[in-house]
Amino acid sequence: MTEKNWDSFQEKLDETHQWPCQYTFKCVIRAEYYCELEKLKVRGEHSIRQSKGGKYLSFTLQFEAQSSDDVLSVYREASAIPGAVLL
């Protein structure tokens, strides 16, 4: 994602959310990158579901976001996971 895209995403977050709030983050990754999720889960409640074939993981994280900066921080960290699909 380019910096312009991050800025646009942050503007949309600020337009649609009242801070602080509960935020739900979701992504899908290849199962071999499970250890990369450890960075994200310490922030709140999370759940992980494995795909039927076992190759992918669906990751859901609910956390208290104080601002759009908190949300962007999670998305930026997750975007570093190879092949991550951020939802």
Side-chain angles (χ1 to χ4, degrees), residues 11-24:
E11 286 175 17
K12 288 179 183 174
L13 285 169
D14 286 331
E15 290 172 5
T16 58
H17 292 77
Q18 295 283 333
W19 309 108
C21 70
Q22 282 290 313
Y23 190 85
T24 301

Side-chain angles (χ1 to χ4, degrees):
M1 227 180 182
T2 67
E3 200 57 42
K4 184 177 179 179
N5 290 347
W6 287 117
D7 291 343
S8 176
F9 181 46
Q10 187 167 22
E11 286 175 17
K12 288 179 183 174
L13 285 169
D14 286 331
E15 290 172 5
T16 58
H17 292 77
Q18 295 283 333
W19 309 108
C21 70
Q22 282 290 313
Y23 190 85
T24 301
F25 166 82
K26 294 185 177 201
C27 73
V28 175
I29 64 164
R30 291 191 56 90
E32 65 256 28
Y33 295 112
Y34 171 76
C35 62
E36 296 293 321
L37 293 175
E38 296 297 314
K39 298 181 228 175
L40 304 175
K41 76 176 188 178
V42 295
R43 293 197 171 104
E45 297 291 321
H46 72 282
S47 63
I48 298 172
R49 290 184 50 196
Q50 194 169 36
S51 66
K52 193 173 188 176
K55 290 184 179 182
Y56 297 94
L57 298 175
S58 170
F59 178 74
T60 302
L61 171 69
Q62 290 188 336
F63 65 101
E64 180 76 19
Q66 299 301 310
S67 70
S68 57
D69 290 328
D70 290 348
V71 175
L72 283 179
S73 174
V74 173
Y75 274 91
R76 285 180 187 269
E77 283 183 38
S79 70
I81 299 171
V85 177
L86 309 178
L87 308 172

